[in-house]
Amino acid sequence: MKTKQPFLKKNVEIPKGKEMDVQNIKNWLVHQPHLPKLTDAHIVMFLHSCYYSGERTKETIDNYYTVRAQCLDLFGGRDWPRLEKLWKSLYLMAPLPKSTPEGYRILVYRLADTDPSKFNFQEALTAFFAYNDVRISEDGLVEGYIVVFDMKGATIGHLARVSTCMHLVRKFMVYIQDCHPVRLKGVHVINTVSFIDSCLGLVKPFIQSGLMQLIHLHSDLKTLEKFFPLELLPSDYGGMAPDTVTLADEHMKLVAKNYKDWLKDSEKSIADLKRRIGKPKNQIMELEGSFKTLEID
């Protein structure tokens, strides 16, 4: 018996004129016994992220739930005390309150504790994916996301720890490029370090050209201004939004109030691999060379 999966806490209405697109996906899901039951809201989110391409949506839905089933090391362990500790003491993740003129949401990420001996890449990815699941639910249908990674405090020691976990790098890139149900509009790395080429060298084997076009490196904030107004940034970056720590704390309070149980339940949002029709697949390995094509505006 299928279990109704969480995925979205808030309701998302079907945009006008997209009812048939949703129905086509529902008809396809009837013949996919390995996938969980999806509400119309789930389907709309996937369709929206794929610009309402039916075939891409089917692939993304299948990939999303299959990869999560094959990566329980990254999508499990969502106990609140653990996530609270990670978000509070090690990794600051803050959604900015105002969108860009195009309607893109901006998410800022940086290390809270820069001691490389405390850096655990698997835990960083677990915290990252849990955080993004909450944002998808909270934001609903948005035109796109811009991600700002601040490298301040990153050291060769951090890079060394990541380099010993290339299987996790591969999983991360597969998920972001072929599973994540959002429209990614830009990845901006600020306060780049001297060894940035070495950092990019770790991930380049797993990056398709579409994502490469979205990545921009900034040694300071001046070159960031041509992508969105700097006034949207937190005050500690010279913007008009509250400081990053305050924004991260507000997000923590939101999660504590509305998402603690939801996040734990979301561990069940996976495919039942034994029920897949046809030959079993190792989705992680197969998706490496077949990433979803990202649309670039």
Side-chain angles (χ1 to χ4, degrees), residues 39-51:
T39 64
D40 288 354
H42 292 86
I43 295 172
V44 168
M45 288 296 297
F46 281 109
L47 279 166
H48 179 75
S49 74
C50 296
Y51 298 85

Side-chain angles (χ1 to χ4, degrees), residues 59-266:
E59 291 176 5
T60 303
I61 291 173
D62 192 5
N63 294 340
Y64 176 92
Y65 290 103
T66 298
V67 168
R68 289 170 81 102
Q70 295 176 333
C71 299
L72 296 179
D73 52 339
L74 301 181
F75 295 96
R78 291 182 163 187
D79 303 282
W80 174 242
R82 180 193 184 199
L83 290 177
E84 182 180 31
K85 177 182 177 182
L86 292 177
W87 288 335
K88 184 175 294 186
S89 62
L90 295 179
Y91 316 108
L92 282 182
M93 302 181 183
L96 302 193
K98 292 186 178 181
S99 301
T100 69
E102 300 84 359
Y104 305 155
R105 294 300 310 271
I106 304 174
L107 307 177
V108 175
Y109 302 91
R110 77 168 187 239
L111 291 169
D113 189 329
T114 58
D115 183 350
S117 69
K118 297 179 182 178
F119 180 74
N120 182 304
F121 189 49
Q122 180 176 327
E123 289 189 335
L125 293 183
T126 297
F128 175 86
F129 286 134
Y131 169 86
N132 279 279
D133 281 357
V134 172
R135 289 320 317 164
I136 292 172
S137 177
E138 273 295 300
D139 296 336
L141 299 184
V142 295
E143 287 302 309
Y145 283 92
I146 291 175
V147 178
V148 177
F149 285 103
D150 186 354
M151 292 196 73
K152 187 175 182 179
T155 68
I156 289 291
H158 293 95
L159 178 63
R161 285 177 172 259
V162 174
S163 67
T164 63
C165 305
M166 293 308 296
H167 63 296
L168 296 180
V169 174
R170 181 177 67 242
K171 290 178 180 181
F172 174 76
M173 297 310 304
V174 166
Y175 185 84
I176 290 299
Q177 295 182 104
D178 215 71
C179 309
H180 203 35
V182 301
R183 296 178 177 182
L184 186 60
K185 294 296 182 177
V187 178
H188 297 274
V189 183
I190 63 174
N191 294 318
T192 51
V193 291
S194 59
F195 52 91
I196 185 63
D197 288 341
S198 298
C199 297
L200 290 176
L202 288 182
V203 298
K204 275 186 177 179
F206 311 113
I207 300 181
Q208 239 192 359
S209 60
L211 181 57
M212 281 300 299
Q213 293 178 48
L214 294 178
I215 299 175
H216 305 276
L217 307 179
H218 308 271
S219 58
D220 56 45
L221 296 179
K222 293 180 181 178
T223 53
L224 192 60
E225 191 168 16
K226 70 176 183 177
F227 296 97
F228 61 83
L230 297 185
E231 64 186 38
L232 299 178
L233 289 171
S235 59
D236 45 320
Y237 291 94
M240 298 180 66
D243 65 87
T244 307
V245 172
T246 297
L247 291 172
D249 286 344
E250 290 177 354
H251 191 265
M252 286 273 292
K253 292 175 182 176
L254 170 74
V255 177
K257 180 179 179 181
N258 297 328
Y259 284 95
K260 286 194 296 185
D261 294 336
W262 181 89
L263 277 168
K264 187 62 181 176
D265 289 342
S266 70

